[in-house]
Amino acid sequence: MCEQCLTQATMVVKDVIPGFSLMRATQDGDSWKSGWYGLVEINDPTVVFEGPLLRDLSEGMTDEQINALSDDENINLEAFILAGEKFGEALQLDPCSGYRLVVACMAAGFKPQEDGALEFWLLKHLAKKAGI
């Protein structure tokens, strides 16, 4: 049985990037745990990650503005950075899957030379598309 069926995954955002839907498991599967997210192309998730989906609160800020953030705002920024680093670990894919994911991200607006690390761009993109 496919992981999507095993976990009774629910749709969060269909076609969050071209060819991939963002889904969330509602019960444990073999490799997809309840509450975790998956980027699904067909049945089994290509990427499984714990989350959370977070937005980068410093997006568009200057260095001076970032340096002036309150302690609470810095905690939120640190949470985003940690979530992005953890998400990057989940993005360690076989070459063909990785290629499909990067091509889909580029079609959705990812510009490697401007946007930097894919894991942070994609985490922001997923959160934005999910309404977070």
Side-chain angles (χ1 to χ4, degrees):
M1 184 179 277
C2 74
E3 278 288 288
Q4 184 178 342
C5 299
L6 248 145
T7 62
Q8 296 183 8
T10 59
M11 185 68 65
V12 178
V13 181
K14 185 171 177 59
D15 289 323
V16 68
I17 54 175
F20 291 83
S21 292
L22 179 63
M23 301 186 81
R24 195 163 193 191
T26 63
Q27 62 186 34
D28 286 350
D30 293 329
S31 61
W32 196 0
K33 304 301 176 199
S34 180
W36 287 30
Y37 294 94
L39 288 171
V40 179
E41 292 177 89
I42 299 173
N43 288 326
D44 289 326
T46 302
V47 177
V48 171
F49 62 103
E50 185 175 4
L53 296 179
L54 297 172
R55 296 194 61 183
D56 180 2
L57 301 178
S58 69
E59 189 172 15
M61 289 184 169
T62 65
D63 287 343
E64 292 79 25
Q65 291 171 318
I66 292 170
N67 291 335
L69 291 174
S70 70
D71 288 344
D72 287 342
E73 291 168 326
N74 270 321
I75 289 170
N76 291 335
L77 182 57
E78 286 179 26
F80 172 77
I81 292 168
L82 290 173
E85 290 171 349
K86 191 172 180 182
F87 186 40
E89 294 171 14
L91 294 177
Q92 302 301 310
L93 303 170
D94 65 87
C96 291
S97 297
Y99 175 80
R100 288 192 311 275
L101 182 72
V102 171
V103 167
C105 287
M106 290 175 73
F110 174 61
K111 297 175 190 81
Q113 298 299 323
E114 296 172 25
D115 297 323
L118 176 68
E119 58 268 28
F120 294 105
W121 178 88
L122 186 52
L123 183 61
K124 288 188 287 190
H125 180 81
L126 297 176
K128 188 179 297 182
K129 291 291 185 174
I132 296 171

